[in-house]
Amino acid sequence: MEGAGNLSAAVALYVDRAYDLFASVADAVALSRAASVWAAARAALLVPLMRVAVVLCLVMSVMLVVEKLSMALVSLCVKVFRRTPEKAYKWEPLLQEDLEKGSLPYPMVLVQIPMFNEREVYHISIGAVCTLAWPNDRLIVQVLDDSTDIAIRELVQEECHKWHLKGRNIHYISRDNRNGYKAGALKEALELDYVKKCDYVAIFDADHEPPPDFLLRSIPFLMHNPDIALVQARWKFVNASECIMTRIQEMSLNYHFKVEQQSGSSTMAFFGFNGTAGVWRIQAINEAEGWKERTTVEDMDLAVRATLQGWKFVYIGDLKVKSELPSSYKAYRYQQHRWACGPANLFKKMTIDIIMAKKVTLLKKFFLLYNFFFARRIISHNVTFFFYCVVIPLSSFFPEVEIPKWGVFYVPTIITILNSVGTPRSLHLIIIWVLFENVMSLHRCKAVYIGLLEAGRVNEWVVTEKLGNALKTKQIAGVAKKFPRKFWERFLFLELAMGVFLLTCASHNLICRTNQYFIFIFPQTISFLLMGFGFVGTHIPQAK
């Protein structure tokens, strides 16, 4: 019996060893087959897809850099030859009131100030508009308050009453709904009877502070040039030095005004209305079928429709209106989503209208479709995100795919230099600007496709948070840089996921590749993680 037991144990041992041997061979065969399948799929599908992606990104990069170089060249010529709007168009200063004519030389002007729960800044635009150098009897002010906070409504009403007692013709207008948001408020206010005696309408958001001579400098263009519909002023940022994020925003917006708006005004007499700090000819608004609520960029929508009716626009670069930049990352994200999603959605809605328009030339149609919409609003966001944040980092895993050096280094260098020249004082922040813009490209690119596909958040309207002078008070300043207590209120998981992806790509590139892409992939990783963990902008805890 004992011998039989020993024999059974020996047989069982050999069986186990045989099983382990066959299992290891099977595992090796399975792994070998899986490796061969992966290699075949990689060679047949992934590598060709990467090569196609690289080619597409390089083509888009060339399109973008050509667009930016052409705009920069136009702006440079305007500056060198001092081709100011006053030289390009007829412009004569309005004479001061005299005893015989009184205020008759001054046309009737309507000023609209749309606002929504603007506790910190409501008084800024109202006070600035009511001190404009313009006769009291030739100026009508409308404060369009869609606030849902009753206390804020009362404050705005008190401010309006104060200026009414000082002799200004000011009207407080509120609605019991927010239909159409800002566009709906502007549209309804223009339909009031007393507006019919006005020829022009100036629009200022609640945080915008026009200089006293704003109307004196802008209205003459409309008076003496009957084909001009819009005069747009430039924004000057009162809180640009508040933090790194506002400094970076200043660089981007200075480029927008000094290059994009200037070149469009000088070549095609067209640019996108900025929604504030501008004066419209009311006749042009009516001919363009007024304000529409179909997108979140009602200002750009009106501008495109007006130019299709043959109207011209003028940009005055040295007429500056004070305004505020978003100082919290959350507010900036919402703003950039609207600014990227709205134009993409408008492009989809207006392509056929632009093609079929009869009052504009083929050249202007091409400018609208390609330069204004496709290159600047679609291509630019795709290149920044897919090429620099996805394709180049991902190429670390595909040594078969080569990306030309001019696409990786020279083109982005040119684009960076062009974007930085508008703000010389911030040149030392140019690397931080690049990294910040790459992170924001994630949200802008996502917003573009939401707009094109008319997906869930296509018509989302979140009013950009404004702080006014709140940061200057001791009470707020003491807590301004503290984070919310709950981590999920601070963490941004989309940015964190991109940070992990880039960290993986950078680490693989450092260990396995020789092209040294990790030199700029690692900084991108850090920027995504910093923003993902909430270490950007000014943080104001929510009131309890």
Side-chain angles (χ1 to χ4, degrees):
M1 294 293 294
E2 182 178 354
N6 292 335
L7 179 62
S8 299
V11 170
L13 179 62
Y14 285 121
V15 169
D16 287 341
R17 289 180 177 178
Y19 176 81
D20 291 340
L21 178 62
F22 284 118
S24 62
V25 171
D27 288 342
V29 171
L31 289 174
S32 177
R33 287 179 179 176
S36 62
V37 169
W38 166 251
R42 187 177 183 279
L45 181 63
L46 297 182
V47 172
L49 281 177
M50 274 296 297
R51 285 176 175 152
V52 170
V54 168
V55 171
L56 287 176
C57 288
L58 290 174
V59 170
M60 290 191 294
S61 297
V62 172
M63 293 167 63
L64 183 59
V65 77
V66 169
E67 173 70 9
K68 287 187 174 292
L69 282 172
S70 62
M71 289 191 296
L73 181 60
V74 171
S75 300
L76 179 62
C77 291
V78 170
K79 189 174 184 64
V80 169
F81 296 105
R82 298 180 180 179
R83 188 65 175 169
T84 63
E86 289 81 1
K87 293 180 179 179
Y89 296 94
K90 184 178 180 181
W91 187 91
E92 295 178 5
L94 283 166
L95 300 176
Q96 296 296 320
E97 299 178 75
D98 55 48
L99 296 177
E100 294 183 0
K101 295 183 179 180
S103 60
L104 289 179
Y106 293 79
M108 286 293 298
V109 177
L110 174 71
V111 179
Q112 294 181 317
I113 309 174
M115 58 179 62
F116 175 74
N117 291 338
E118 311 280 5
R119 180 188 293 274
E120 302 295 344
V121 297
Y122 70 90
H123 59 286
I124 293 177
S125 56
I126 295 176
V129 165
C130 289
T131 55
L132 287 171
W134 204 260
N136 285 355
D137 61 332
R138 311 300 289 175
L139 185 69
I140 301 176
V141 179
Q142 290 180 331
V143 177
L144 313 178
D145 187 12
D146 276 357
S147 298
T148 53
D149 188 319
I150 301 301
I152 296 177
R153 284 195 177 196
E154 292 175 353
L155 290 173
V156 177
Q157 283 181 292
E158 290 176 8
E159 185 74 10
C160 294
H161 182 65
K162 180 184 77 174
W163 286 104
H164 176 72
L165 294 178
K166 293 181 180 182
R168 274 303 186 188
N169 186 1
I170 185 169
H171 300 261
Y172 174 82
I173 302 173
S174 63
R175 304 186 298 167
D176 57 2
N177 60 73
R178 290 192 69 204
N179 294 340
Y181 301 110
K182 179 179 176 180
L186 295 171
K187 179 180 179 180
E188 291 183 24
L190 277 180
E191 294 172 352
L192 298 175
D193 288 338
Y194 61 81
V195 174
K196 296 178 181 178
K197 56 186 177 182
C198 299
D199 299 314
Y200 314 111
V201 55
I203 302 171
F204 301 100
D205 284 348
D207 63 317
H208 281 65
E209 185 179 354
D213 65 344
F214 180 89
L215 295 179
L216 292 174
R217 293 194 57 191
S218 58
I219 293 295
F221 285 104
L222 298 165
M223 293 176 61
H224 301 299
N225 302 273
D227 56 346
I228 291 178
L230 168 67
V231 178
Q232 173 72 60
R234 180 182 156 193
W235 298 355
K236 180 181 179 181
F237 311 107
V238 297
N239 64 330
S241 300
E242 184 176 310
C243 60
I244 293 294
M245 196 184 80
T246 54
R247 291 286 294 272
I248 292 170
Q249 290 178 66
E250 181 192 32
M251 294 176 68
S252 298
L253 286 170
N254 278 348
Y255 172 82
H256 167 70
F257 282 104
K258 292 184 177 182
V259 178
E260 291 185 347
Q261 301 294 74
Q262 182 66 75
S263 62
S265 176
S266 302
T267 55
M268 292 294 170
F270 170 78
F271 47 82
F273 175 44
N274 294 115
T276 179
V279 187
W280 277 91
R281 188 186 301 273
I282 294 180
Q283 177 190 350
I285 295 178
N286 294 332
E287 286 189 8
E289 300 179 358
W291 294 99
K292 291 189 177 182
E293 308 153 9
R294 56 182 179 172
T295 71
T296 56
V297 284
E298 73 293 324
D299 42 14
M300 184 182 293
D301 187 357
L302 177 61
V304 174
R305 285 184 282 112
T307 202
L308 293 181
Q309 294 296 320
W311 292 98
K312 295 181 179 180
F313 302 165
V314 174
Y315 167 71
I316 310 177
D318 59 353
L319 179 56
K320 302 174 183 179
V321 176
K322 294 180 181 179
S323 63
E324 180 183 332
L325 292 165
S327 53
S328 73
Y329 182 55
K330 180 180 179 181
Y332 187 59
R333 281 179 64 189
Y334 279 125
Q335 182 198 70
Q336 293 302 299
H337 172 86
R338 189 173 77 246
W339 286 5
C341 178
N345 187 234
L346 182 63
F347 176 50
K348 177 181 180 180
K349 292 179 183 296
M350 292 219 65
T351 297
I352 300 301
D353 293 337
I354 294 172
I355 294 173
M356 301 302 293
K358 298 179 180 179
K359 296 183 179 181
V360 293
T361 63
L362 287 175
L363 179 60
K364 197 160 192 176
K365 291 179 182 181
F366 177 80
F367 176 83
L368 286 168
L369 291 172
Y370 176 77
N371 300 77
F372 182 73
F373 276 116
F374 190 62
R376 301 181 206 172
R377 269 81 191 178
I378 308 296
I379 293 297
S380 62
H381 302 319
N382 277 276
V383 168
T384 308
F385 176 65
F386 284 113
F387 195 30
Y388 304 124
C389 300
V390 177
V391 173
I392 292 178
L394 203 58
S395 68
S396 299
F397 296 96
F398 295 90
E400 310 95 325
V401 179
E402 291 292 332
I403 305 178
K405 288 185 179 180
W406 60 264
V408 178
F409 299 106
Y410 302 144
V411 168
T413 299
I414 293 172
I415 293 174
T416 300
I417 292 173
L418 292 176
N419 277 278
S420 64
V421 294
T423 314
R425 79 185 188 99
S426 297
L427 282 175
H428 62 290
L429 299 175
I430 193 64
I431 301 299
I432 299 177
W433 176 84
V434 171
L435 298 175
F436 183 83
E437 285 294 296
N438 284 349
V439 176
M440 288 311 304
S441 70
L442 165 65
H443 298 287
R444 292 175 183 141
C445 193
K446 181 180 70 171
V448 164
Y449 287 101
I450 289 174
L452 290 175
L453 300 175
E454 297 192 337
R457 294 176 60 196
V458 64
N459 289 319
E460 180 184 54
W461 181 283
V462 178
V463 176
T464 304
E465 177 189 36
K466 307 176 187 74
L467 302 178
N469 295 323
L471 292 178
K472 299 178 183 178
T473 66
K474 294 181 180 179
Q475 180 180 1
I476 298 296
V479 298
K481 294 186 178 180
K482 293 182 180 179
F483 297 109
R485 294 179 180 178
K486 298 177 181 178
F487 74 92
W488 56 84
E489 294 179 1
R490 186 179 78 199
F491 289 2
L492 302 170
F493 295 101
L494 194 57
E495 281 88 340
L496 292 176
M498 278 298 302
V500 172
F501 164 73
L502 290 171
L503 179 61
T504 304
C505 295
S507 302
H508 185 274
N509 185 270
L510 174 63
I511 297 170
C512 303
R513 298 295 303 275
T514 60
N515 54 24
Q516 298 182 332
Y517 288 170
F518 67 87
I519 293 175
F520 61 85
I521 301 177
F522 271 127
Q524 283 189 191
T525 301
I526 296 172
S527 62
F528 271 97
L529 293 177
L530 283 175
M531 294 189 189
F533 284 117
F535 291 102
V536 173
T538 301
H539 297 268
I540 307 297
Q542 299 295 323
K544 299 292 183 183

